[in-house]
Amino acid sequence: METTPGLLTFIIFLPLAGALVLLLVPRESKEAIRWFTLAVTLLVFALSLRLYFGFNGASAGMQFREFALWMPQFGIHYHLGIDGISLWLVLLTTFLSVLAVAFSWVVEQRVKEYMFFMLLLETGMLGVFCALDLVLFYVFWEAMLVPMYFLIGMWGGERRIYAAIKFFLFTFFGSILMLVAIVALYYLHRDMTGVATFDLLKIQQALATSPLDLNLQLWLFAAFALAFAIKVPMFPFHTWLPDAHVEAPTAGSVILAGVLLKMGTYGFLRFCLPLFPDASQVAAPLMLTLAVIGIIYGAIVAAVQPDVKKLVAYSSVSHLGFVMLGLFALNAQGLTGSILQQVNHGISTGALFLLVGMIYERRHTRLIAEFGGLKRVMPVYAAFFLLVMLSSVGLPSTNGFVGEFLTLLGGFAVHIPLTVIAASGVILAAVYLLWMFQRVFYGEPSEKNASLPDLNLREIAILVPIVVLIFWIGLYPSTFTDAMQASVENLIRQVNGDAGAAWLAQMGETVRAVTMR
Amino acid sequence: MTGYPPLPSDIWFIAIAPELVLTLTAMVVLLVGLSLRYRSYTPLVVLSLIGIAVSAGLAVAFWGQSREAFASTVVSDQFAQVVRLILLGIAAIAVLMAEPYLQQKRITFPEYFALVLFSTAGGMVMAAAQNLMVLFIGLEILSLSMYVMAGLARTETRSEEAALKYFLLGAFASGFLLYGIALIYGASGTTNLNELMPALFSPSPEKRLLLYGGLALLLVGLGFKAALVPFHVWTPDVYEGAPTAAAAFMASAAKTAAFAVFIRVAIAFQPASALWATVLAVLAVLTMSVGNLIALAQTNLKRMLAYSSIAHAGYLLVGVVAISNFASARAGISAVLYYFIAYALMTMGAFAVASLMAHEGQESNLIEDLAGLGTRSPHAAAMMTVFMLSLAGIPATAGFLGKFFLFNAALQQGSVGLLLAIVLAVNSVVSAFYYLRLIVVMYFHPAELPALPRPGFGLQLAIALCMIGSLLFGLYPLGWNQAQQAAEGVVRVMQTVRR
């Protein structure tokens, strides 16, 4: 246990402090505001790297823990910590925040407010991944809605107001019912142990020794799962996503796809599975089915989109289906793949949104039909696009392959027919992405496209780290999976009990073989 | 002297000292105001604030004591102190925000300040009342001052309409209340809330029926003051027509006082809770849902805030329902007390920003008039945003913690509470829609009108206090221990009476 304020506190609240400092900067000095925000996000990223180097991959417990009294009357405390699952999401958040801010140089209107909300958003997201107290988690989870709402509503596209409100209300609806479930859980735990606390670890421990009655578990699971399923989004709760993603400004879409959706999947991993293990197993077939529907449905709808950004948005629904498939396979391969795929999706889809944003800044349209022949006009852009797209398709040696392969492997162990259908989603991904690539980049450039400038230095600097990560994860995933292993095994023990542990030992070998150890 | 009962031996004026101080201050303010006509009201503001501060000091000095006085008709316990302090805080903000607004509106009535003080004193009497007649007196002091305040903008027909409507319906509601008191007296032979117990367990069914009939009428009267559906129809018209500063005061003070009485009555009738809990639960569901649904359709800011205040009365009722169960009574009472604070801060803040829309005698409160406020008056817009987020119950604001405590109490209560908690949750989403719409208009719509006038010092201070409070009470449950002690005290009485 570290003393508060420790490293995590600094990482979480540095952006907030930066946002408050920003309020004092005069709004006319746009350049200063941009550089300052970039410096803050870079500093946060650098600090978060210290988490990686100081992380003990062999331990399944929470690390970098911090504890301080907050509302002792209710057993609500400021309790932070990360394990092998949240570590990657924290790093993903700090990484993507840097890129999102770097891209946001193109924002010219109300720069001060824009950067203020970006920094606020980063604090909210990081808090969600580090909170180990149910109320603290909820505070971050909800508070993060506000900056995102403003980012979409003020700097978004044509239908931004509709999209912003829809985004807010959908998420708010799910989460407020989760709040009721959180309070209910608090009382159940208090009646069981006599200790009144919202501490996640304590409640987890108590429920592990004396599990709740299945019926009760199912109700609570449903309340939590609804909030998370809306966020992921799982079919049929996905309808807010295309609106929000398409209308949001580019950096907003990057953060939305890269990090916000992961908050939903993270919620399943951190809360639903360990707290309600029996309900998770009962609900698994339903969740698997919804995941597979999402994979296929998202892919098919993506294929017919006339707008590149919409295509990428629907591809998210499909990709997140793989994440959920691996997650509810409830085995080592599936879960490892699921977590890895969360990071992958953040990187690849985030990059796709950035690429779409870059071309939109030049042409002010995103319609596929408007483009063509870009390969000749913008060769550097085309090269980057190709790489990122292939990683999104899941070509071997890119990150997408490792993640999708592991989730499918996990799915295969529990439900062969569904997994076979899911696997066809990989092919569909190739169909919609390659077809789009062909229409946008090949052929003769039309008059409007003929004189587009290629990527500038800033844009290349944003894309290079992404490409490095794509191949790093694709070729040497064990850098990432090693640190997850202990936490994933622990999670499986929590979900499956002793039977699961024995089974895990047998399957663990396969995972190691796949991740090339 | 024959024929009169002897004077009670517990005449103890200290028990009502905060009210006395406030009333005296009000009279001084009234007199000083006469000599100040058409000049600055700053001396009145300072005088009123001094009175409020002394009164609050006395309430704090009594902290920890619980004493009955005047033949047990008044009880000065911790619950009374907490409610007194909340009401005094509301009065202080109402006094602070009024001066610039009244000047902009060309309302030249220094009586405003005296009325605020009188009204507050009435509310404080209600909080300390243990006798139904004392309660009635308190309620009338509170209400009569408010009727006048609603009509202060007397050149405007809207304001006149508001005053008349409020007065007529209010008088009607007072009639219900009195009739209820009469029935209760008929059944039990007493008007003291702490002596009702024998009648509640009376073997005669007629007596009990009479008692319950009285309780029902009492609920109607109080429901009117608290603006519960279906006794709410006056609210939007009155809040819209009344001067904005007065509306801010009415919305929070009347609700606080009425709900304080609700709590006292609920405790007195706790043994019959099976009966009223369901009724109140139904009223809560109705009040929350109707308030929020109609608020969705409003185009006038003050009307929207009026319907939102109705919805919040429904939320408060959820806390009152929790009193029906012994296990959750304490949580329910402290949650309601905490919500008083949260509600007062965010609602008065919102009204205070709305009062900026008054300019040189003109005032238009259409939501569309706020278009682009984020660019033309960024500070006002930012403050309003905080109040709206707090009203919607977004974490890190007082509104969130208030709702959280209500959830807590409701889930402890049992199955009815669970149902209410879910209805409350769904209602929060509905309400978020119209609170967000205001943010949409302020930030996402282009500016058409000039910037709002720069608020005077008092108004600035009032808005800043509300905003800081809305955040502070959302980050840390300030005063929760005090609220809990107050609840503890009231519940203990309930237990001893029961024995």
Side-chain angles (χ1 to χ4, degrees), chain A residues 70 74 142 149 154 169 187, chain B residues 405 408 412 440 444 475-476:
Chain A
W70 184 18
F74 298 93
E142 284 270 275
Y149 166 76
M154 284 172 81
L169 289 184
Y187 282 113
Chain B
F405 294 149
N408 243 319
Q412 257 179 300
V440 166
F444 308 162
L475 290 172
Y476 193 80

Side-chain angles (χ1 to χ4, degrees), chain B residues 241-434:
Chain B
T244 308
F249 176 72
M250 290 192 287
S252 28
K255 206 150 280 174
T256 303
F259 269 98
V261 173
F262 256 123
I263 289 174
R264 292 239 191 240
V265 172
I267 286 168
F269 283 87
Q270 212 273 341
S273 64
L275 220 71
W276 55 258
T278 333
V279 176
L280 285 192
V282 172
L283 283 181
V285 170
L286 269 179
T287 309
M288 288 189 266
S289 312
V290 171
N292 277 325
L293 287 177
I294 303 186
L296 285 177
Q298 298 309 311
T299 52
N300 182 300
L301 178 59
K302 279 161 85 177
R303 283 186 89 83
M304 188 197 94
L305 286 173
Y307 281 107
S308 120
S309 90
I310 294 172
H312 284 271
Y315 303 162
L316 282 165
L317 213 46
V318 174
V320 177
V321 173
I323 299 174
S324 65
N325 187 336
F326 228 69
S328 59
R330 242 166 295 148
I333 296 169
S334 9
V336 171
L337 288 175
Y338 198 81
Y339 208 83
F340 283 163
I341 303 174
Y343 172 76
L345 286 169
M346 53 207 191
T347 301
M348 296 195 82
F351 271 113
V353 177
S355 80
L356 288 175
M357 295 167 88
H359 189 51
E360 295 183 349
Q362 302 295 315
E363 184 175 9
S364 168
N365 297 108
L366 292 183
I367 293 176
E368 272 311 308
D369 293 342
L370 288 176
L373 199 69
T375 46
R376 54 195 169 101
S377 303
H379 293 116
M383 303 283 166
M384 195 63 151
T385 305
V386 172
F387 300 134
M388 287 300 126
L389 293 177
S390 183
L391 283 165
I394 304 298
T397 62
F400 166 70
L401 265 195
K403 258 181 209 165
F404 177 74
F405 294 149
L406 287 176
F407 276 142
N408 243 319
L411 287 178
Q412 257 179 300
Q413 193 267 345
S415 50
V416 176
L418 175 64
L419 197 77
L420 285 177
I422 293 173
V423 175
L424 207 172
V426 174
N427 262 289
S428 299
V429 183
V430 177
S431 74
F433 185 82
Y434 61 83

Side-chain angles (χ1 to χ4, degrees), chain A residues 27 69-74 76 110 113 135 138-140 142-143 145-146 149-150 152-154 160-161 164-165 168-170 172-174 176-177 179-184 186-187 190 198, chain B residues 331 374-375 378 385 389 392-396 400-401 403-405 407-409 411-412 418 421-422 424-426 428-429 432-433 436-437 439-440 443-445 474-477 480-481 484:
Chain A
R27 62 176 60 246
L69 292 179
W70 184 18
M71 304 185 210
Q73 306 98 317
F74 298 93
I76 300 172
R110 297 198 247 186
E113 288 94 334
V135 174
Y138 185 82
V139 167
F140 282 122
E142 284 270 275
L145 282 181
V146 178
Y149 166 76
F150 275 100
I152 299 175
M154 284 172 81
R160 59 180 189 275
I161 296 174
I165 292 181
F168 194 103
L169 289 184
F170 262 64
F172 193 46
F173 178 75
I176 194 119
L177 288 178
L179 180 63
V180 177
I182 286 177
V183 177
Y186 166 79
Y187 282 113
R190 195 194 64 175
F198 281 97
Chain B
T375 46
T385 305
L389 293 177
I394 304 298
F400 166 70
L401 265 195
K403 258 181 209 165
F404 177 74
F405 294 149
F407 276 142
N408 243 319
L411 287 178
Q412 257 179 300
L418 175 64
I422 293 173
L424 207 172
V426 174
S428 299
V429 183
F433 185 82
L436 287 184
R437 204 184 48 183
I439 301 178
V440 166
Y443 283 93
F444 308 162
H445 286 186
L475 290 172
Y476 193 80
W480 175 262
N481 290 341
Q484 194 126 41

